[in-house]
Amino acid sequence: MASPHGSTQADQPSSTASLSNSTPQNNVPPSADTQDPFNGLSFKVGVAENKNSAYRAKMEDVHTYVANFAEKLDWGYFAIFDGHAGKSTARWCGNNLHTLIEQELLAKEASANCGSGASPSNLCDVKEVFHNVFVKADELIEEEGSGSSGSTAAVAILRWETTEDETEPAKSKPTKSGKKFDFVPGPQHKRMLYTSNVGDSRIVICRSGKAYRLTYDHKASDPSEIKRVRERGGLIVKNRVNGVLAITRSLGDSYIKNLVTGKPFTTSTEITAEDEFLILACDGVWDVISDTYACKFVKDIFKQQQQNSEPIDPARAAKRLCQLAIDKATTDNVTAMIVKFDSSVFD
C-alpha cells in the first residue's frame, strides 16, 4: 500500500510522508426536507474546541470549513489556525484564506469550461496555488495591519479531478430517489486531497487503520529549519527563533518575516476507499497525543457508533479527542477537526 505522497516545501528538502472561532459554510443549501448540512456529500465534518481555562485566559484558535468549496459539488475546504501574540492573524486567515484560494483556482478554470463537478488533473498545480496564496496572504496581513500577531495554518482541499483532458463539463448528477451523493464519479474521476501548512498545526490521515502525517512541524528544534534561519542571519536561542518564537514558519509575524517565512509545506494524495478520515488539530492536541494514538482513538469511536447502530458523528469524536488532550494535561488551547470519508462513493 502506497503512503500519501507528493510533499514539497520551499527552501527545504522534500519530506516523505470564526466568527466565534469558526467559519463553516456550504455553498449549496441542503434540500428543504433535511437538516443535515452534509446531505449529498461524500464526507462529514466535526469540530470541537476548548480554551483550556486551567492554563489559558484566551482562545486564539480559529477553524474554517467549506462544503461544496469553490462552488463545486462534493469539494471541501478544511483549515485550522493557531494564533499567537493575539488572535488577529488567525481570525484574518479564518475569514479570508479560503476566498483567496477559491479565487486562484477559479481563475485557472475560467477558460476550461469545467462545470460544477471535477476539474482536469493537469489544469493547475494546486500545491503551487497554495504556495502563491500563502505568500499573498502574508503580504495582505501586513498591509492591513494584522501582522503584529501570527498564526500557524493547516489547510486541506478535497476535490474531484478527471484523469482525462476533458473540454466538456464533468458529468455530475443531482441527488435523486435512491441516489446518495450529489456528485456521482465515473471511471475517469479520481478523488484528490491537497494539504498545506506552516507552523506546528498538523493534518493526519487514517488509511486502513494506519496514521500518515501530511504536514511538517516547523519548529525551532528542527535541524533543517535551524539551518535555514541561521543562513538568513537569525539565531536559535532555547529552541526559539531569536529567543522569541518556537515555530519557524507562520502567517503574520511581520516584524520577523525575514526569518519566519510563510512559504508552506504541501502534499498531494489520491483518496481511495482505504482512506477513513482526516484529523486536523493544533499543537495543543499533538503535544500530548501521537498521530497513531489519535487515529486509533477516533477509529474506535466510529467503530463503537457503528456497533451501537448510531449515526457516524465526527463532531462527537472531535470533542472526545479534545477532552483526551485536556485529560493528558496539555497546556495550550485545543481544537480538533475530523473529516469522515464515505467510501461508498467509490462503489
Side-chain angles (χ1 to χ4, degrees), residues 228 232 253-261:
R228 183 186 59 78
R232 284 160 175 73
D253 292 316
S254 301
Y255 70 97
I256 201 171
K257 188 48 62 181
N258 61 316
L259 303 177
V260 181
T261 178

Side-chain angles (χ1 to χ4, degrees), residues 68-326:
N68 294 312
F69 177 60
E71 300 181 1
K72 298 282 192 173
L73 291 175
D74 207 30
W75 285 27
Y77 169 94
F78 322 103
I80 295 281
F81 307 102
D82 182 358
H84 52 264
K87 193 174 181 176
S88 60
T89 296
R91 184 183 290 111
W92 189 97
C93 292
N95 281 332
N96 297 289
L97 199 65
H98 60 287
T99 301
L100 294 178
I101 294 172
E102 178 177 353
Q103 290 171 346
E104 183 99 359
L105 288 174
L106 292 179
K108 299 282 187 182
E109 297 189 356
S111 61
N113 194 25
C114 295
S116 61
S119 295
S121 58
N122 62 354
L123 182 62
C124 70
D125 185 346
V126 179
K127 293 187 292 182
E128 183 181 350
V129 169
F130 272 138
H131 179 273
N132 294 341
V133 167
F134 273 51
V135 171
K136 181 178 181 180
D138 248 347
E139 296 171 354
L140 292 173
I141 288 167
E142 183 173 10
E143 288 175 8
E144 296 178 19
S146 298
S148 59
S149 65
S151 179
T152 70
V155 180
I157 291 176
L158 183 67
R159 71 181 208 158
W160 288 102
E161 294 181 355
T162 58
T163 55
E164 302 170 357
D165 186 13
E166 295 183 342
T167 57
E168 296 297 323
K171 295 179 180 179
S172 59
K173 302 176 184 178
T175 300
K176 299 177 182 178
S177 178
K179 291 290 184 181
K180 185 177 181 180
F181 302 110
D182 289 337
F183 181 85
V184 181
Q188 79 277 23
H189 293 120
K190 62 180 179 178
R191 190 70 150 147
M192 293 298 299
L193 177 73
Y194 296 93
T195 70
S196 183
N197 87 288
V198 290
D200 54 5
S201 293
R202 194 179 296 171
I203 303 174
V204 175
I205 193 169
C206 182
R207 170 175 287 183
S208 297
K210 294 182 179 180
Y212 294 92
R213 190 181 301 181
L214 301 180
T215 47
Y216 192 97
D217 287 351
H218 298 120
K219 295 184 176 183
S221 56
D222 179 77
S224 62
E225 287 294 280
I226 291 173
K227 181 175 182 292
R228 183 186 59 78
V229 170
R230 287 175 173 168
E231 286 176 348
R232 284 160 175 73
L235 299 173
I236 301 297
V237 181
K238 295 182 178 179
N239 288 335
R240 290 180 178 269
V241 180
N242 284 2
V244 179
L245 286 180
I247 57 174
T248 56
R249 301 193 184 215
S250 70
L251 296 176
D253 292 316
S254 301
Y255 70 97
I256 201 171
K257 188 48 62 181
N258 61 316
L259 303 177
V260 181
T261 178
K263 295 178 180 178
F265 176 84
T266 60
T267 71
S268 62
T269 305
E270 183 171 356
I271 299 300
T272 70
E274 294 180 327
D275 296 305
E276 302 171 55
F277 55 85
L278 201 64
I279 303 175
L280 300 86
C282 64
D283 67 324
V285 172
W286 303 117
D287 283 348
V288 294
I289 303 172
S290 70
D291 299 6
T292 298
Y293 191 88
C295 280
K296 182 181 183 304
F297 183 79
V298 172
K299 183 179 176 70
D300 287 346
I301 292 173
F302 288 145
K303 182 178 179 181
Q304 186 179 38
Q305 290 175 351
Q306 191 174 31
Q307 289 174 342
N308 294 340
S309 299
E310 300 171 352
I312 297 298
D313 187 355
R316 202 166 92 190
K319 183 176 181 179
R320 289 183 59 183
L321 185 62
C322 285
Q323 187 58 50
L324 178 65
I326 298 292

